[in-house]
Amino acid sequence: MSEKPTTKGTSGTDEEIEGPNTTRRTFLKGSSAAAGIAALGMEGTKPANANDTDETDDENDGDDGPTNVVLFIGDGQGRAQLDLGRYLKAYREDSETFPLNVADATYNLDRHDAHGSATTFPDDPEEFVADSASTATAIATGHKTYNGAIGGVENDAGEFVPKRTVLEEARDMGYAVGLVTTARMTHATPASFASHVPDRDEEEEIAKQYVRDGGVDVLFGGARSYFLPDGRETDDADLVAEAKRNGYRYLTTESELESLDSAPALGLFSESDHLNYTLDRQDGDDTTQPGLGAMAEKAIDLLEARGGRKGFFLMVEAGRIDHAGHANYPVVAHEQLEADDVVGRLLDYAEDSHGETSVITTADHETGGLSLGSGGPYDVNFDVLDGLEASTDALVPLVEEAESREEVSSIMQEEAGIDLLDTELDELRAYNTPVAEILNHRIRLGWTSTGHTAENVPTFATGPNAEFFDGTVDNTDIAGAIRERLNGN
Amino acid sequence: MSEKPTTKGTSGTDEEIEGPNTTRRTFLKGSSAAAGIAALGMEGTKPANANDTDETDDENDGDDGPTNVVLFIGDGQGRAQLDLGRYLKAYREDSETFPLNVADATYNLDRHDAHGSATTFPDDPEEFVADSASTATAIATGHKTYNGAIGGVENDAGEFVPKRTVLEEARDMGYAVGLVTTARMTHATPASFASHVPDRDEEEEIAKQYVRDGGVDVLFGGARSYFLPDGRETDDADLVAEAKRNGYRYLTTESELESLDSAPALGLFSESDHLNYTLDRQDGDDTTQPGLGAMAEKAIDLLEARGGRKGFFLMVEAGRIDHAGHANYPVVAHEQLEADDVVGRLLDYAEDSHGETSVITTADHETGGLSLGSGGPYDVNFDVLDGLEASTDALVPLVEEAESREEVSSIMQEEAGIDLLDTELDELRAYNTPVAEILNHRIRLGWTSTGHTAENVPTFATGPNAEFFDGTVDNTDIAGAIRERLNGN
């Protein structure tokens, strides 16, 4: 494939979308390979009567209660990002005994029952390193695809072929379904679960498919401009009005989220881009943006009610780990901590819920080539990292608008907690304002890229048959595992 | 601790070495935390009569056969190194379908039953990033310590306090014991299992302790100079002669290794430094250096015979993954593949052996901050990586001695498989000979450091109670797990 396909496939209508891939790859895991395959349904660990429900039933019978599947995706959440969050959390809990206290600090990602990793590479002759569209499509549909593809693959004729997603299957089986993200609602990761376009940049088409074809009960994310006439370039459709006519509640602020009591609901909490980084969301001027945890918990409340005895499927994305990685921003750690907080809430729900709730936690790829420690010295300065009060996004304009060295010095003291050296002040007064470079050097975070990298990503699971994820799996296997759970296996 | 302790402790005599740490940290793993603890002995999965053997018995009784524990340490084997090996192996197996064939390529590290990670940080107020001495000591003794410490910790008075190692305990319980490495025999990782010095640089003292106090049945590694009068600076002890008087077979070449048929044995296969990188070992002038796999298999043969019905403990280190990382050399991939080959042989043995063999595979830390992909572009060029015929160690002298641009061009074509650009030729003719930089750029490997980084390291296990390693553990827990197995639990 020398260029991305330009033939736009017919998308969004279920009857034209191919069914799930029937061949699923499993990695050799010694004596546990057979157990891993068995874990995915051939030998369930559920009570015997659970297997009475076949996939054509609209609701579970018996006393099992609903089946819920929550998929958490940390976009760009590589293994170093995950470790950075673990150690920052331990540092915050007790800086005196840190790092020896790390085993006592509760890092929620460590709470899962199963711990392994997943591949990320696309099916793309041009590129070995994945983008978020190909990986989210692999996870959502079970099909490897080319970078840029949303919810489909390219056939031998160069045409885009939509593929059914686990969300669409769940919806058609009677489950309530939802998508929650801190990125734009139309960004690649959520889009790959409920839309089908050959190019991830077709975000206005993605918005249209959500509203006209999606049937998604809960949509919470950023960037309402893609849904409104004034923001759209391809047409002047008012997708918010259409959604309301279809029965959707529409909301744009944290307080509206708090009082929301029924689905379907479309919550778009920023004007035209992603939600702010969590540090700025908490402290910035715009306090209308909810946290990812609040969005996820509200989504569960609504989906639980709407799914009834059948249950629900929910995808939650921590979308801005990735963006901090692209920019090589130290606030990647704070985004990771928000992700960990959300995972904790999901696991709490799984422990407390009636019925059976599976939580699968993964990432689409690593972003930035992050390392803890860089340049040679054997230290990482968590005190500096913990002293940050604002993201580099928020700091750069302040530094650029400062009218004196003293003012720059004061801003960096107040917002980043560091006393700048004269040489650093010289650098900051130069035109390219290398705030992130100075912070990375002080903290000793290393980065190799402003793009993604190709390492496997950490993958976890809790709930029935979670043990399948103890080991290395292909990211397409995640779709298979979700399908098995949705089918009651 | 503002400086490393200078008070040298009394070391090497068992009665003065403190016993094992009785508190072992375990990470919260949700509902599997209790299972993890139970897995370490309180609820064994062995046949009931296996528990008849208590730790004071010199040999197992009944039909269980011997208990063997093999610990494999990839020095510097971080998660990116591991993934790089996996994908290079898949590329070599079928470059046409790569990377979609990766699930079919047999990567031995994926064969383990349990998959998790381990912490690496030292107990060192000056440094958060670990060195190989503190980590190997943590793994060998169960005690966190300061960077540089070999087999001991520092007490409140600033004195070095030796700690008992799992190898010493195994030896005293009647197990046969061995240490195998591609690094210098006296390097930090093997040293931490059978010697006790406050500073890893005391390699002549380490050699003396091996020979005079160690009782290690098999010692295979590099750098015989530390054992011979001409090579020693602190004294003129002939430790090779002493070892021979103590009954050791002494050997220095691969052919001698092949014909070796009994332990104790001291094999030192290089003059004064580590063994060569595997690419150079296979193809260089010095063909006397064995592969790590041959050393490990011979060690198992000898220890199996010597351990009899009791069994054996063996530590095998792939020591040069770390050195390639420090130098930012792409041959880190080839060292990783040698490591994977050895792990495959160890797992084969565990599957075939009589009795019960545990294989625990881990790393001490990551080295270099490696990433697959760098600088932004979304690709990794495995064809270039696979084309390497020599390490950068071997290439640099050739390039430096070349007398013309044409000669440099020819060397790089033959030994590295790449046609240099004119700009690259200009760079290579400059004084600092950036061979590694050019190769990293061509392959798109990223590095953040010439030192270590602080991420957790991948940890695996196969054998009884392996499931303890499904999750995040402290590196000191590895000593605890080994002790449980040695005690028959």
Side-chain angles (χ1 to χ4, degrees):
Chain A
M1 184 174 51
S2 59
E3 51 187 38
K4 296 289 179 281
T6 53
T7 311
K8 189 170 166 185
T10 312
S11 57
T13 52
D14 295 342
E15 61 271 25
E16 291 172 294
I17 299 177
E18 295 188 7
N21 192 354
T22 52
T23 58
R24 183 165 44 75
R25 281 166 293 202
T26 50
F27 281 76
L28 184 63
K29 289 171 63 181
S31 58
S32 68
I37 291 166
L40 270 178
M42 294 174 205
E43 291 178 17
T45 57
K46 293 176 61 175
N49 65 345
N51 294 319
D52 295 341
T53 307
D54 72 39
E55 65 184 274
T56 60
D57 283 357
D58 279 331
E59 59 183 6
N60 291 318
D61 50 15
D63 299 316
D64 295 335
T67 294
N68 308 313
V69 180
V70 186
L71 172 65
F72 180 87
I73 298 179
D75 197 313
Q77 177 181 276
R79 294 176 286 200
Q81 284 81 352
L82 195 149
D83 288 343
L84 185 63
R86 179 190 293 110
Y87 288 106
L88 177 58
K89 189 160 188 182
Y91 179 86
R92 286 181 168 184
E93 290 192 7
D94 187 355
S95 63
E96 291 298 314
T97 59
F98 176 82
L100 297 175
N101 70 322
V102 70
D104 303 318
T106 305
Y107 197 53
N108 292 303
L109 285 150
D110 289 329
R111 290 171 54 195
H112 291 87
D113 290 335
H115 301 240
S117 73
T119 67
T120 68
F121 59 83
D123 180 7
D124 189 321
E126 297 289 307
E127 297 180 328
F128 176 70
V129 181
D131 87 326
S132 294
S134 70
T135 50
T137 296
I139 295 167
T141 71
H143 293 272
K144 291 277 191 190
T145 188
Y146 61 91
N147 280 345
I150 299 287
V153 301
E154 187 184 57
N155 66 16
D156 292 340
E159 298 162 331
F160 179 74
V161 180
K163 294 289 183 184
R164 292 263 289 172
T165 75
V166 291
L167 179 142
E168 291 163 340
E169 291 171 29
R171 176 198 63 199
D172 294 348
M173 292 164 73
Y175 290 94
V177 297
L179 296 172
V180 172
T181 180
T182 47
R184 292 194 297 270
M185 192 72 246
T186 51
H187 210 232
T189 304
S192 297
F193 285 81
S195 70
H196 308 269
V197 296
D199 183 342
R200 58 182 291 168
D201 289 341
E202 298 179 40
E203 290 191 52
E204 297 186 9
E205 172 63 21
I206 290 165
K208 195 179 283 183
Q209 290 186 21
Y210 279 148
V211 171
R212 295 183 180 171
D213 311 312
V216 187
D217 301 293
V218 172
L219 290 162
F220 292 159
R224 51 189 167 264
S225 61
Y226 290 90
F227 294 77
L228 292 166
D230 288 350
R232 294 175 60 87
E233 294 180 358
T234 54
D235 58 41
D236 61 355
D238 186 341
L239 298 172
V240 168
E242 289 189 36
K244 286 178 178 172
R245 281 199 296 276
N246 293 340
Y248 276 76
R249 306 279 296 275
Y250 175 64
L251 57 159
T252 62
T253 66
E254 183 174 22
S255 60
E256 289 174 333
L257 180 73
E258 286 169 7
S259 58
L260 180 67
D261 59 6
S262 75
L266 173 65
L268 300 169
F269 303 101
S270 62
E271 183 55 37
S272 58
D273 209 345
H274 315 297
L275 301 196
N276 291 333
Y277 287 116
T278 178
L279 268 186
D280 305 333
R281 228 181 301 147
Q282 291 163 357
D283 300 323
D285 294 332
D286 182 355
T287 57
T288 66
Q289 299 184 2
L292 184 59
M295 289 195 287
E297 285 194 340
K298 178 63 74 175
I300 285 177
D301 283 349
L302 301 178
L303 294 174
E304 187 178 63
R306 194 165 174 85
R309 294 179 62 197
K310 183 70 179 177
F312 62 83
F313 169 79
L314 170 64
M315 191 289 293
V316 180
E317 184 200 24
R320 306 225 61 197
I321 300 169
D322 174 63
H323 305 136
H326 279 288
N328 295 355
Y329 283 175
V331 292
V332 69
H334 304 77
E335 295 302 307
Q336 184 63 51
L337 280 191
E338 178 172 59
D340 187 67
D341 169 65
V342 175
V343 167
R345 300 187 198 207
L346 299 177
L347 293 175
D348 288 347
Y349 177 79
E351 288 167 13
D352 297 342
S353 69
H354 302 290
E356 291 184 318
T357 298
S358 293
V359 178
I360 299 171
T361 297
T362 189
D364 44 1
H365 51 71
E366 195 273 350
T367 306
L370 176 65
S371 66
L372 282 62
S374 69
Y378 280 26
D379 212 2
V380 179
N381 297 305
F382 285 92
D383 53 338
V384 181
L385 182 61
D386 191 37
L388 289 177
E389 300 284 343
S391 81
T392 306
D393 267 3
L395 277 172
V396 166
L398 296 175
V399 170
E400 286 181 340
E401 288 160 18
E403 294 182 354
S404 66
R405 288 173 72 91
E406 290 69 28
E407 196 179 338
V408 170
S409 187
S410 166
I411 289 165
M412 290 297 283
Q413 223 294 323
E414 286 169 21
E415 301 292 339
I418 63 174
D419 293 318
L420 288 175
L421 303 173
D422 276 349
T423 52
E424 289 171 331
L425 262 171
D426 292 341
E427 290 176 49
L428 277 185
R429 294 293 280 171
Y431 74 99
N432 61 350
T433 323
V435 172
E437 288 87 331
I438 288 173
L439 293 174
N440 283 322
H441 184 73
R442 288 284 193 114
I443 301 165
R444 296 215 170 282
L445 296 181
W447 302 89
T448 66
S449 183
T450 55
H452 302 167
T453 64
E455 291 97 66
N456 284 11
V457 287
T459 299
F460 309 97
T462 284
N465 308 334
E467 62 271 22
F468 174 70
F469 288 99
D470 276 323
T472 303
V473 302
D474 196 63
N475 59 357
T476 57
D477 291 341
I478 298 170
I482 293 170
R483 286 189 169 113
E484 295 282 350
R485 292 298 304 133
L486 294 174
N487 285 324
N489 298 319
Chain B
M1 183 174 54
S2 60
E3 52 187 36
K4 295 290 178 281
T6 53
T7 310
K8 189 168 166 183
T10 312
S11 58
T13 54
D14 295 343
E15 62 270 27
E16 291 172 294
I17 300 177
E18 294 185 7
N21 192 356
T22 53
T23 57
R24 185 162 45 73
R25 282 168 293 205
T26 49
F27 281 75
L28 184 65
K29 288 168 65 180
S31 59
S32 67
I37 292 166
L40 271 179
M42 295 173 204
E43 294 176 15
T45 57
K46 293 175 62 176
N49 66 345
N51 295 319
D52 295 342
T53 306
D54 72 42
E55 63 183 276
T56 62
D57 283 1
D58 281 331
E59 59 182 6
N60 291 318
D61 50 15
D63 299 318
D64 295 335
T67 294
N68 308 313
V69 180
V70 185
L71 173 65
F72 181 87
I73 299 179
D75 197 316
Q77 179 181 275
R79 293 175 288 201
Q81 283 81 354
L82 197 149
D83 288 343
L84 184 62
R86 180 189 293 108
Y87 288 106
L88 177 57
K89 190 160 187 180
Y91 179 86
R92 285 181 169 186
E93 290 191 5
D94 187 356
S95 63
E96 290 298 314
T97 59
F98 177 83
L100 297 175
N101 70 321
V102 70
D104 302 318
T106 305
Y107 197 52
N108 291 301
L109 284 149
D110 289 330
R111 289 172 55 195
H112 290 88
D113 290 335
H115 301 239
S117 73
T119 68
T120 68
F121 58 83
D123 180 7
D124 188 323
E126 298 290 306
E127 296 180 328
F128 176 71
V129 181
D131 86 325
S132 294
S134 70
T135 50
T137 297
I139 295 168
T141 73
H143 293 271
K144 290 277 192 189
T145 189
Y146 61 90
N147 279 345
I150 299 288
V153 302
E154 187 184 53
N155 68 15
D156 292 341
E159 297 162 332
F160 179 74
V161 180
K163 294 289 183 185
R164 293 261 291 172
T165 75
V166 291
L167 179 143
E168 292 164 340
E169 291 170 31
R171 177 198 61 196
D172 294 349
M173 292 164 72
Y175 289 94
V177 296
L179 295 172
V180 172
T181 180
T182 47
R184 293 194 296 271
M185 193 71 246
T186 51
H187 209 234
T189 304
S192 297
F193 285 82
S195 69
H196 308 269
V197 296
D199 183 344
R200 60 184 290 170
D201 288 341
E202 298 179 38
E203 292 192 49
E204 297 186 8
E205 172 62 21
I206 290 165
K208 196 180 282 182
Q209 290 185 21
Y210 279 148
V211 171
R212 294 182 181 170
D213 310 312
V216 186
D217 299 295
V218 172
L219 291 162
F220 292 160
R224 50 189 167 263
S225 63
Y226 291 89
F227 293 77
L228 292 168
D230 290 349
R232 293 174 62 85
E233 293 179 358
T234 56
D235 58 41
D236 62 354
D238 186 339
L239 298 171
V240 168
E242 288 187 38
K244 286 180 179 173
R245 282 197 297 275
N246 293 340
Y248 275 78
R249 306 278 298 272
Y250 175 65
L251 55 158
T252 62
T253 66
E254 183 174 22
S255 61
E256 288 174 331
L257 180 74
E258 285 170 7
S259 58
L260 180 67
D261 59 6
S262 76
L266 173 64
L268 300 169
F269 303 102
S270 62
E271 183 55 35
S272 58
D273 209 343
H274 316 295
L275 302 195
N276 292 331
Y277 287 115
T278 180
L279 269 186
D280 305 332
R281 226 180 303 145
Q282 291 164 357
D283 299 323
D285 295 332
D286 183 354
T287 56
T288 67
Q289 300 184 1
L292 183 59
M295 290 195 287
E297 287 195 338
K298 178 64 74 172
I300 285 177
D301 283 349
L302 301 178
L303 294 174
E304 186 179 65
R306 194 165 173 85
R309 293 181 60 197
K310 183 69 179 175
F312 63 82
F313 170 79
L314 170 65
M315 192 288 294
V316 179
E317 183 199 26
R320 307 226 60 196
I321 298 168
D322 174 63
H323 305 136
H326 280 288
N328 295 355
Y329 282 176
V331 291
V332 69
H334 304 77
E335 295 302 307
Q336 185 63 51
L337 280 191
E338 179 173 59
D340 187 67
D341 169 66
V342 175
V343 167
R345 298 186 198 207
L346 299 178
L347 293 175
D348 288 346
Y349 178 78
E351 289 169 10
D352 296 342
S353 70
H354 301 291
E356 290 185 317
T357 297
S358 292
V359 177
I360 300 171
T361 297
T362 188
D364 43 2
H365 51 74
E366 195 273 350
T367 306
L370 175 66
S371 67
L372 281 61
S374 69
Y378 280 27
D379 211 3
V380 179
N381 297 305
F382 285 91
D383 53 338
V384 181
L385 181 61
D386 192 38
L388 290 178
E389 300 284 342
S391 81
T392 307
D393 268 3
L395 277 172
V396 167
L398 295 175
V399 170
E400 286 181 339
E401 288 161 18
E403 294 182 356
S404 66
R405 288 173 72 91
E406 290 68 28
E407 196 178 340
V408 171
S409 188
S410 165
I411 290 164
M412 291 296 284
Q413 225 293 323
E414 286 171 19
E415 302 293 338
I418 61 173
D419 294 316
L420 289 175
L421 303 173
D422 276 348
T423 52
E424 290 171 329
L425 261 172
D426 292 341
E427 290 176 49
L428 277 185
R429 295 292 280 170
Y431 73 98
N432 62 352
T433 324
V435 172
E437 289 88 330
I438 289 174
L439 294 174
N440 283 323
H441 184 74
R442 287 286 192 114
I443 301 165
R444 296 219 170 278
L445 297 182
W447 303 87
T448 67
S449 183
T450 54
H452 302 167
T453 65
E455 291 95 66
N456 284 11
V457 287
T459 300
F460 309 96
T462 284
N465 307 333
E467 59 273 23
F468 174 71
F469 289 99
D470 275 323
T472 303
V473 301
D474 196 63
N475 59 358
T476 58
D477 292 342
I478 298 170
I482 293 170
R483 286 189 169 112
E484 295 281 350
R485 291 299 303 134
L486 293 174
N487 286 323
N489 297 320

